[in-house]
């Protein structure tokens, strides 16, 4: 039995070390397939489009997130406290308008999970997407801008967002799309 | 694993002919540990996701200041207009000039659809060849990604531009 147990533990160790737990996601997004095999960049700012067109944003790294919250708070007067920013630095993907950010951060973990988030407003007049992205990019200049859209999302929603991002202040013309590896096409 | 003796002195050695209990076995019952190991193994194997997402980088034509379309078209003959419609609709046409009728061709996203068309020598060997990707508002995001992927794989120059109302009608007519 000993060799079997050895093997079992070896496998347990392997899976434990290679597993990276996915953070809690506010919305389920099924990404489209492509034949690209470029790995995901280490630092990324991710803009998500849900099947119903709602927009969410996510950035990795507690330090960068803290800075993100701090600069937004300083410039846009969001009334965040130091504790709020600390909490925010450990959260994941979210989709609330700037005005509701403090309220969202102050929710308890279970309340946050149960909340149906409204998504970041897409209209270019409020410019909320542009602001979130602008401050995220200045908080982590090394981050790559990535977009994660659901397969079934409408082109119209994507196009609206792309236009906002191509406008100043972001002027983003290079987008990394998150895709799952697809077999068959060479 | 060694058994730890609780006796003081040389209790384990039965000195003085005073046998203290039975000589217990040095084997440990490993069954619960193995159970746990397999439980963990099963858990991690089931939760592990092997196909990590990848990224596909796409450059978009820069937006012009006064909301104009980017000036990409130099010679109409080299430009394929590819229209992504709702559902699985996909058509392409070449603009032959003002008074020439538009002849749209219906195709699909498969390997023997648009991909093999883009591999045709008349397009493949034309360095000026350009595909203008135009998607209807109700087209699916995945089809846009499909087209980016196919142009990337076939090494075709592409640019995503706005669709015109005329072209939306063209899609509806098909």
């Amino acid at each position: 039995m000993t060799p079997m147990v050895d093997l079992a533990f070896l496998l347990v160790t392997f899976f434990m070390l290679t597993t990276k737990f996915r953070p809690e996601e506010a919305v389920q997004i099924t990404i489209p397939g492509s034949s690209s095999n470029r790995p995901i960049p280490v630092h990324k700012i991710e803009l998500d489009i849900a099947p119903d067109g709602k927009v969410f944003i996510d950035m990795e790294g507690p330090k960068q997130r803290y800075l993100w919250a701090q600069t937004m708070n300083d410039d846009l007067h969001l009334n965040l406290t130091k504790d709020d920013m600390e909490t925010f630095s450990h959260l994941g993907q979210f989709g609330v308008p700037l005005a509701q950010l403090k309220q969202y951060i102050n929710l308890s973990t279970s309340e946050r999970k149960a909340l149906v988030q409204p998504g970041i407003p897409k209209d270019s007049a409020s410019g909320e997407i542009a602001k979130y992205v602008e401050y995220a990019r200045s908080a982590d200049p090394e981050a790559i801008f990535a977009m994660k859209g659901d397969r079934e999302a409408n082109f119209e929603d994507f196009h609206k967002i792309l236009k906002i991002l191509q406008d100043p202040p972001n002027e983003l013309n290079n987008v990394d799309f998150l895709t799952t590896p697809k077999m068959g096409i060479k | 694993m060694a058994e730890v003796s609780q006796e003081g002195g040389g209790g384990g050695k039965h000195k003085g002919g005073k046998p203290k209990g039975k000589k217990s076995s040095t084997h440990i019952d490993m069954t619960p540990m193995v159970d746990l190991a397999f439980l963990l193994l099963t858990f991690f194997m089931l939760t592990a996701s092997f196909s990590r997402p990848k990224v596909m980088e796409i450059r978009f034509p820069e937006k012009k200041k006064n909301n104009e379309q980017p000036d990409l078209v130099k010679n109409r003959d080299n430009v394929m207009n590819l229209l992504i419609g709702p559902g699985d609709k996909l058509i392409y046409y070449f603009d032959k000039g003002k008074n020439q009728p538009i002849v749209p061709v219906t195709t699909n996203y498969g390997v023997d659809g648009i991909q093999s068309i883009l591999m045709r020598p008349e397009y493949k060997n034309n360095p000026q060849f350009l595909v203008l990707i135009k998607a209807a508002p109700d087209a699916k995001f995945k089809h846009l990604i499909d087209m980016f992927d196919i142009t990337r794989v076939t090494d075709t120059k592409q640019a995503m531009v706005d669709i015109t109302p005329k072209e939306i009608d063209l899609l509806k007519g098909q």
Side-chain angles (χ1 to χ4, degrees):
Chain A
M1 192 164 78
T2 324
M4 187 184 74
V5 176
D6 285 351
L7 188 70
F9 270 104
L10 190 78
L11 286 171
V12 170
T13 321
F14 169 75
F15 281 106
M16 276 175 79
L17 292 178
T18 54
T19 301
K20 194 179 152 195
F21 284 99
R22 233 186 306 169
E24 198 69 52
E25 285 183 339
V27 66
Q28 183 74 41
I29 291 173
T30 322
I31 53 176
S34 88
S35 55
S36 173
N37 55 7
R38 269 184 49 183
I40 293 187
V42 184
H43 289 282
K44 67 171 194 297
I45 299 160
E46 189 188 296
L47 203 68
D48 304 337
I49 310 172
D52 56 1
K54 280 184 189 172
V55 183
F56 296 79
I57 195 166
D58 192 7
M59 180 162 76
E60 281 155 21
K63 259 190 208 155
Q64 290 89 331
R65 285 186 74 102
Y66 190 90
L67 193 63
W68 186 22
Q70 202 177 28
T71 46
M72 282 198 292
N73 190 39
D74 291 349
D75 290 7
L76 308 167
H77 313 291
L78 304 175
N79 296 322
L80 300 181
T81 63
K82 275 225 155 71
D83 283 345
D84 291 344
M85 293 181 210
E86 189 59 41
T87 314
F88 178 79
S89 69
H90 297 290
L91 295 179
Q93 178 202 47
F94 67 95
V96 289
L98 280 163
Q100 286 174 35
L101 190 61
K102 186 183 170 65
Q103 197 190 341
Y104 172 72
I105 293 170
N106 289 334
L107 293 176
S108 72
T109 312
S110 55
E111 281 172 331
R112 212 176 286 130
K113 214 175 156 184
L115 178 77
V116 178
Q117 300 189 35
I120 304 168
K122 284 197 289 281
D123 57 312
S124 47
S126 72
E128 299 224 346
I129 292 176
K131 273 179 200 146
Y132 272 124
V133 173
E134 184 194 355
Y135 284 101
R137 288 175 80 204
S138 69
D140 188 359
E142 281 172 33
I144 303 284
F145 182 78
M147 234 169 154
K148 187 166 110 179
D150 192 274
R151 283 161 187 256
E152 303 297 318
N154 270 349
F155 172 75
E156 196 180 11
D157 293 321
F158 161 74
H159 202 201
K160 227 186 243 172
I161 295 161
L162 183 73
K163 278 183 173 166
I164 292 172
L165 296 172
Q166 285 188 305
D167 277 335
N170 289 302
E171 290 176 346
L172 264 168
N173 292 311
N174 252 13
V175 178
D176 276 11
F177 290 99
L178 258 62
T179 56
T180 48
K182 183 163 81 176
M183 306 298 152
I185 295 182
K186 253 183 240 154
Chain B
M1 267 163 250
E3 177 191 338
V4 179
S5 169
Q6 301 282 26
E7 304 291 314
K13 293 203 166 171
H14 310 299
K15 230 191 219 164
K18 204 176 167 196
K20 217 31 181 111
K22 281 172 227 143
K23 188 176 160 198
S24 55
S25 162
T26 50
H27 288 284
I28 298 174
D29 183 13
M30 288 202 292
T31 321
M33 185 182 76
V34 176
D35 285 352
L36 189 71
F38 273 102
L39 188 78
L40 285 172
L41 183 62
T42 321
F43 171 73
F44 281 106
M45 275 176 80
L46 290 177
T47 52
S49 58
F50 287 98
S51 58
R52 285 278 175 79
K54 305 280 180 197
V55 292
M56 179 167 63
E57 191 188 353
I58 301 294
R59 282 191 85 90
F60 291 96
E62 261 170 54
K63 213 171 151 187
K64 285 215 166 174
K65 285 284 174 285
N66 36 11
N67 267 333
E68 266 175 55
Q69 290 277 340
D71 186 26
L72 300 156
V73 185
K74 292 198 177 64
N75 186 348
R76 272 195 290 261
D77 294 339
N78 295 325
V79 178
M80 177 192 269
N81 295 274
L82 195 81
L83 310 180
I84 304 175
D88 291 328
K89 220 177 253 182
L90 180 67
I91 63 175
Y92 69 92
Y93 74 91
F94 289 86
D95 190 355
K96 301 277 188 203
K98 268 238 158 83
N99 298 315
Q100 300 292 315
I102 286 173
V103 189
V105 184
T106 305
T107 179
N108 62 62
Y109 297 94
V111 180
D112 49 354
I114 188 69
Q115 194 178 344
S116 67
I117 292 165
L118 293 177
M119 292 300 277
R120 283 178 192 166
E122 69 249 48
Y123 306 137
K124 191 89 192 116
N125 301 333
N126 180 357
Q128 304 280 306
F129 185 66
L130 172 72
V131 174
L132 291 185
I133 300 176
K134 306 176 185 186
D138 47 357
K140 279 178 190 161
F141 180 70
K142 76 169 172 198
H143 288 321
L144 181 71
I145 297 295
D146 281 343
M147 277 324 303
F148 285 146
D149 195 33
I150 291 167
T151 49
R152 200 183 59 86
V153 168
T154 56
D155 203 17
T156 313
K157 264 186 277 174
Q158 57 83 17
M160 194 186 85
V161 295
D162 291 356
I163 198 165
T164 61
K166 227 180 180 176
E167 285 164 331
I168 293 177
D169 287 343
L170 204 64
L171 273 167
K172 275 183 194 145
Q174 284 296 300

